[in-house]
Amino acid sequence: MTAKRLPLPKRFNAGLTEDAYAKLRSLNAKWGLGNNYLLVVLLENLDRYADPEKLEQVFQDFIEEYSAPKTAKD
């Protein structure tokens, strides 16, 4: 049976910290998936592995330390 290929129609540039990029590369080394597919797996399955209260606290801590960046809409 031939493996299916997941189409990735949305593309964007993403900036990462050195630590975040190192974790992404580590996942790549373990699973053999490219950065795009790793991000798809992580984000599409976030509710399956992340505790909602802990995730909310992580975002609140980030915003408290760095504030929310301005977007193009702001």
Side-chain angles (χ1 to χ4, degrees):
M1 182 168 115
T2 304
K4 296 190 309 186
R5 182 163 176 84
L6 177 66
L8 300 174
K10 298 290 183 191
R11 295 203 176 263
F12 67 97
N13 291 326
L16 299 174
T17 63
E18 290 293 330
D19 288 344
Y21 189 68
K23 289 182 182 191
L24 194 61
R25 299 306 300 157
S26 175
L27 288 169
N28 180 291
K30 180 174 182 172
W31 296 105
L33 299 172
N35 295 347
N36 292 338
Y37 288 109
L38 289 169
L39 290 171
V40 167
V41 170
L42 290 171
L43 293 172
E44 286 190 0
N45 294 285
L46 188 64
D47 294 338
R48 291 176 57 188
Y49 66 85
D51 178 279
E53 292 174 7
K54 289 181 181 179
L55 186 60
E56 183 164 334
Q57 187 61 53
V58 167
F59 279 112
Q60 288 174 353
D61 292 346
F62 180 88
I63 291 169
E64 184 177 309
E65 184 170 352
Y66 298 105
S67 18
K70 299 292 183 201
T71 65
K73 296 176 188 174
D74 291 341

